[in-house]
Amino acid sequence: MRISTTSCLCHILVFLCFIQRYYGASHHIPADKVTIAKNQTKLANGETEVHHRPKRGWIWNQFFVLEEHIGPDTQYVGKLHSNSDKGDGSVRYILSGEGAGSIFIINEVTGDIHATESLDRERKAHYVLHAQAFDRNTEKPLEPKSEFIIKVQDINDNAPTFPDGPFVAAVPEMSGVGTSVYQVTATDADDPTYGNSARVVYSILQGQPYFSVDPKTGVIRTALANMDREAREHYAVVIQAKDMAGSVGGLSGSTTINITLTDVNDNPPKFPQKNYQLYVPESAQVGKPVGKIKANDEDLGINAEIKYSIINSEGAAMFSINTDRDTREGIISLKKPLNYERKKTYTLQIEGVNTHVEPIFSYLGPFKDTATLKITVGDVDEPPVFSMDYYIMDVYENARIGREVGAVTARDPDSKNSHVRYFIDHSEHSDKYFNIDMDSGVIKTTQSLDREEMPWHNITVIASEVDNPSLLSHVPVTVQVLDVNDNPPEINKDNEVIVCESSRPGQVIQTMTAVDKDDFANGQRFSFSLPILCSLPTWLICANEYNTASIITRRRQFNRLVQELYELPIVVWDGGEPALSGTSTLTLRVCPCQRNGRVQTCQDERGLLSSAGLSTGALIAILLCIVILLAIVVLFITLRRSKKEPLIISEEDVRENVVTYDDEGGGEEDTEAFDIITLRNPAAAEEFKFRRDIRPEAARQHGQNRGHHSPPELNQVDVQEFIKQRLVEADMDTNGPPYDSLQTYAYEGQMSPTGSISSLDSPGTHSEQDYNYLDDWGPEFQKLAELYGEDTDVAESDVAVAVTVAT
C-alpha cells in the first residue's frame, strides 16, 4: 500500500512539473523574451513608449523542453516571431540544425516549435538550432540567421547505482567503535545542478548493530565494540543510496559489502588437559620421536604459532621437544638411552608459548600454558651388552695352533640375567684363523700366523642370549700378530754392479744395503762379511753406518777381455734374537770407463736393446706386426692368382669381346697361321689344325682322314658359299663355346667392278716372274723361295691359304 501511494505521488509531481514548465515556456515569457511591436517599448506601469530608431527584428533566448514526455501529442517548445510578421501569413519561418525536421518541427506560418519525440537528457542535454524568416512572396530573408539552444529539462528518472559492487572489506577483530571499514560511492545519472534529482543519501539496510554508514559520505564504520573473530568472522552489510536527498518519492539503489574480521592474537594457547601419560619402551632409539603433544590456539597464522619447551631439569635431561610447523604439535624425542632396570618413570613439565604477542592484548592474560607428561619406561628383552665397545689383542707369529689370544665378556642387561653364548662372524672373512669358546668367550688360534703375510686380523664376535637367540650383539675384535725373528736378511740386488777397468786399489765400487722382512725390533741392525772359506783377495767388504756396507777393490786394474764377470758372495747378519744370517751373491761386471768414471760401452745385447728404448715386449709386438703384414700380402697375391673369369657370361652382359693378339709373326720360319679356335677351345682346335704350306688336296685329304667333310674345289665353288658352309659347321659344333663370336671377313662378292687382287681367280698358268732372287735374301726367305719355286699352280696354293684362314 505504501508503494502504490508513493508511485501515485511521483506521477502527480511529474505532471505538475510538466504543467509548470509548459505554461512557463509558452505563456509566462520573461520581459526580455517578449516580442514587442515595432518602435514600441513596454514600460513598467504597462504603458508603451514610441521610439523613432529601428530595433532588431526578433530576439529570443534558449528554450526548454521537458525530458521523458509522455502523451500522444507533440510537446510544445516555443515560438519564433519576427517584427516583420504582420500576421497575414507573408512570413515563412525555417528551422535548421540538430534535430531540425525530425525531432523538432516548426510551423512555417506561426513559428511554433514542437518536439515530436520523447527526449532523454542523459543521452543528450541540449540541441543547437538555427532560425530564419523569409518573405513568402519574394523569398528574401527578412531577418539574418540566428542561433538558439533548446535545453532538455531534467526529471528524476535515474536511480542511484553502485557500478563496482558488491564490495569486499576487512577490519581487525576487537576494533573500537567508529573504526573505518570501507567507503561506498553511488552515482546518479540525473542533473546534479538542477534540483535534488542527483542528491544521494546513504543508509544501512542490513548489518546492524555491528556496522553503521555515514549518510553523506558513505563511509562504513564499526558500531559494536570487541567483535570477536572466533565468534563470528564474516558479515554481509547492505547499503542503500537514495536520491532526492532521501525524501519521499526519490529513487534508490543498494549494494552489498562482505566484511571479514581479520585475526589478532587475542587467544592464548591452551592444552586440552593438564595431565598426559606416555609409554616408551627402553629399546627406543636415541634421536627418534617417542610421542607428541599439542596445545590449541583459536587464532590463525603467526598468531597461533606455539613454541614448546620442557621446563623441568629431570625431563630436559632425557627428552627434547620440537614444534612441527604444519601441525603445531610438540614432537618429543629421546636424548639418551632408556634403561628400565635403572629408572622406570619420568615426569616432564611442558610449556607452550605464543611466539608473536601483541602488547595491546596483554590484559587478556599470559599467552602460554603448561601441562604435565608422565612417561613410563617399558621393559624390553634387550640383547647382551659387551664389557667393552671394542677389543684389541695380540699374539706372536708362529704360535702353536690353539694358543689363547684373549677373551670377551658380555652380559644380559635384563633383570632375568640370561646366559650368554659367543660366536665369531665368519661371513666377513673366509679364512678362519681364530675360534672362540661358546661359553667362556676365549679366543684361540686355529692356524699358524705369519706377521709378514698379515700383521693384523679383524674379527667380529657375536653374543646371543640362550633364552632368546634372536637377540644379538656385535663387537669388533682386532688381533695384532707380534713379530718373531724368522726371516734372514738379504742383500738388495736391484741393479748390477759395474767395475771400471781403470779401478784403483781401495776404490769403493758399490755401497750395498740389506733388507729384512722382520720387524725393526728383530732386524735393521745388519753386519756384513765375506765367507770364511772364500778366498777373494780381489775384494774387500767395509761396514758403514746406517746398516750399509761398501765393496772395495784391492786390484789396480781389470781387463774385460780376460774376465768380464765376477761373483761375490756376501754374508749378512741381523740383530735379532736369535740372530739370523743370509748369503747373497752379487754379480760384478767389468766395463771400460772414461776418466770421469762414466761407463762407455758395457751393455750386452739386452742392455743395447734397453738403451735403445725398446723392451722385449715392444720387440715382440713389432715382429708380430711384420708377420701379420707379410701374411696379408701373401694372401692378397694368392687371391689375385686364383681369381678366374666365369665360362658362361650372363645374357644381360653386353660387354664387347676384344681379343688382342699382339703377334707379329715369326717371318719365314713361322709356317703356321694363327688360329682363333685356340683361344676358344684349344682342345678342339688341335683336331682341325693343319698347315698352311700344304696344298689344298693335302688339306682335304687330311680332313677326310679325321672324319670331317673336306672343302669343295675352290676353283669351282664361290668363296661366299664356302664361308656359309663353315658358319653352319661352327654353329653345329658342340665343342665350341656357348656364346656367339662374330667374325667379319669383308668379302665383296663376285660382281665387284674393281676385281680382286687375290690369286684365287688367276689363271692356272705358272707365274712368269723369276723368284730365284729370294734365295739370295737369306735363310729367312728360304721357305718362300721354295714355295714359289715349285711347279705347282700358284693360284691353287693361294686357295689353300684362303681355306686355312676361313677355317
Side-chain angles (χ1 to χ4, degrees), residues 752-767:
S752 176
T754 59
S756 176
I757 61 174
S758 175
S759 61
L760 295 177
D761 295 334
S762 60
T765 59
H766 297 284
S767 176

Side-chain angles (χ1 to χ4, degrees), residues 485-491 514-518 522-532 569-585:
N485 192 21
D486 57 347
N487 292 281
E490 298 176 354
I491 296 295
V515 293
D516 195 333
K517 296 180 181 179
D518 292 324
N522 293 316
Q524 306 300 325
R525 297 189 301 274
F526 303 111
S527 58
F528 304 87
S529 63
L530 295 174
I532 301 176
I570 300 175
V571 180
V572 184
W573 296 83
D574 60 15
E577 292 292 339
L580 298 179
S581 63
T583 302
S584 301
T585 302

Side-chain angles (χ1 to χ4, degrees), residues 84 88-94 132-143:
S84 301
D88 54 359
S90 61
V91 178
R92 182 165 65 90
Y93 298 96
I94 296 177
Q132 196 170 7
F134 290 90
D135 189 329
R136 187 180 296 276
N137 297 322
T138 62
E139 292 297 331
K140 293 182 178 181
L142 300 176
E143 304 289 345

Side-chain angles (χ1 to χ4, degrees), residues 241-252:
K242 189 174 183 181
D243 59 8
M244 299 298 292
S247 61
V248 178
L251 303 179
S252 64

Side-chain angles (χ1 to χ4, degrees), residues 659 661 673-690 708 726 729-730 733 735-737 739 741 743 745 803-807:
V659 180
Y661 299 99
F674 183 84
D675 192 0
I676 194 172
I677 297 178
T678 60
L679 299 177
R680 302 300 186 184
N681 194 347
E686 292 294 334
E687 299 179 0
F688 299 100
K689 184 171 62 177
F690 55 87
H708 294 279
R726 289 299 184 183
E729 292 177 358
D733 188 7
N735 295 325
Y739 45 81
S741 178
Q743 300 179 7
Y745 294 92
V803 171
T804 303
V805 173
T807 57

Side-chain angles (χ1 to χ4, degrees), residues 156-176:
N156 188 20
D157 59 343
N158 291 279
T161 60
F162 297 89
D164 298 330
F167 304 94
V168 177
V171 62
E173 64 173 333
M174 307 300 290
S175 297

Side-chain angles (χ1 to χ4, degrees), residues 371-652:
T372 301
L373 176 62
K374 183 177 181 180
I375 296 179
T376 301
V377 181
D379 187 17
V380 178
D381 192 3
E382 300 176 86
V385 178
F386 285 95
S387 60
M388 299 177 64
D389 295 335
Y390 60 91
Y391 293 86
I392 298 178
M393 305 175 183
D394 54 53
V395 62
Y396 281 99
E397 64 176 332
N398 299 329
R400 61 179 176 83
I401 299 176
R403 178 69 178 268
E404 181 177 336
V405 179
V408 296
T409 57
R411 64 176 183 84
D412 183 9
D414 300 322
S415 57
K416 60 182 179 180
N417 195 14
S418 176
H419 183 65
V420 179
R421 289 183 177 179
Y422 305 93
F423 307 93
I424 290 180
D425 187 5
H426 292 291
S427 60
E428 298 181 0
H429 304 282
S430 58
D431 298 333
K432 299 180 180 180
Y433 291 96
F434 304 95
N435 197 0
I436 190 170
D437 187 86
M438 183 182 299
D439 297 323
S440 63
V442 176
I443 300 175
K444 297 181 180 180
T445 60
T446 59
Q447 298 182 24
S448 179
L449 304 178
D450 189 358
R451 188 201 68 84
E452 288 74 31
E453 180 180 352
M454 186 180 296
W456 295 89
H457 294 267
N458 296 318
I459 60 177
T460 300
V461 177
I462 303 174
S464 66
E465 297 180 7
V466 176
D467 298 337
N468 191 357
S470 61
L471 296 177
L472 304 176
S473 296
H474 301 75
V475 66
V477 177
T478 301
V479 179
Q480 180 184 8
V481 181
L482 302 178
D483 183 54
V484 174
N485 192 21
D486 57 347
N487 292 281
E490 298 176 354
I491 296 295
N492 189 1
K493 300 183 295 182
D494 292 341
N495 298 321
E496 191 177 42
V497 180
I498 302 300
V499 179
C500 293
E501 290 181 330
S502 59
S503 298
R504 299 184 303 275
Q507 182 176 351
V508 177
I509 301 302
Q510 181 75 19
T511 299
M512 57 186 175
T513 58
V515 293
D516 195 333
K517 296 180 181 179
D518 292 324
D519 194 10
F520 181 80
N522 293 316
Q524 306 300 325
R525 297 189 301 274
F526 303 111
S527 58
F528 304 87
S529 63
L530 295 174
I532 301 176
L533 301 178
C534 182
S535 176
L536 296 174
T538 306
W539 316 103
L540 178 65
I541 300 297
C542 181
N544 301 327
E545 296 181 358
Y546 307 108
N547 297 323
T548 62
S550 299
I551 302 175
I552 302 174
T553 178
R554 302 179 65 179
R555 290 177 56 178
R556 178 173 297 279
Q557 287 183 348
F558 294 88
N559 191 341
R560 181 167 176 261
L561 300 178
V562 175
Q563 184 175 355
E564 181 181 4
L565 298 178
Y566 293 86
E567 292 184 354
L568 179 63
I570 300 175
V571 180
V572 184
W573 296 83
D574 60 15
E577 292 292 339
L580 298 179
S581 63
T583 302
S584 301
T585 302
L586 290 180
T587 300
L588 290 80
R589 179 180 297 275
V590 179
C591 298
C593 301
Q594 299 177 358
R595 292 184 178 181
N596 54 6
R598 296 181 60 182
V599 179
Q600 291 181 351
T601 54
C602 192
Q603 293 86 358
D604 54 6
E605 294 180 357
R606 181 180 58 186
L608 291 174
L609 292 176
S610 300
S611 62
L614 296 177
S615 61
T616 304
L619 291 175
I620 294 175
I622 293 173
L623 293 176
L624 183 61
C625 293
I626 294 173
V627 171
I628 292 173
L629 291 175
L630 291 176
I632 293 174
V633 172
V634 172
L635 180 62
F636 179 77
I637 295 174
T638 304
L639 291 177
R640 288 290 300 271
R641 291 182 176 179
S642 62
K643 185 177 180 181
K644 297 180 179 180
E645 291 293 333
L647 295 177
I648 300 176
I649 301 177
S650 175
E651 295 178 359
E652 297 179 0

Side-chain angles (χ1 to χ4, degrees), residues 328-354:
R328 295 192 177 94
E329 294 176 333
I331 308 300
I332 302 171
S333 302
L334 188 63
K335 294 174 64 175
K336 296 180 180 180
L338 297 176
N339 193 331
Y340 173 80
E341 288 72 26
R342 294 182 180 178
K343 190 173 180 60
K344 298 179 175 59
T345 60
Y346 292 90
T347 301
L348 279 67
Q349 295 293 329
I350 299 177
E351 182 183 61
V353 181
N354 280 140

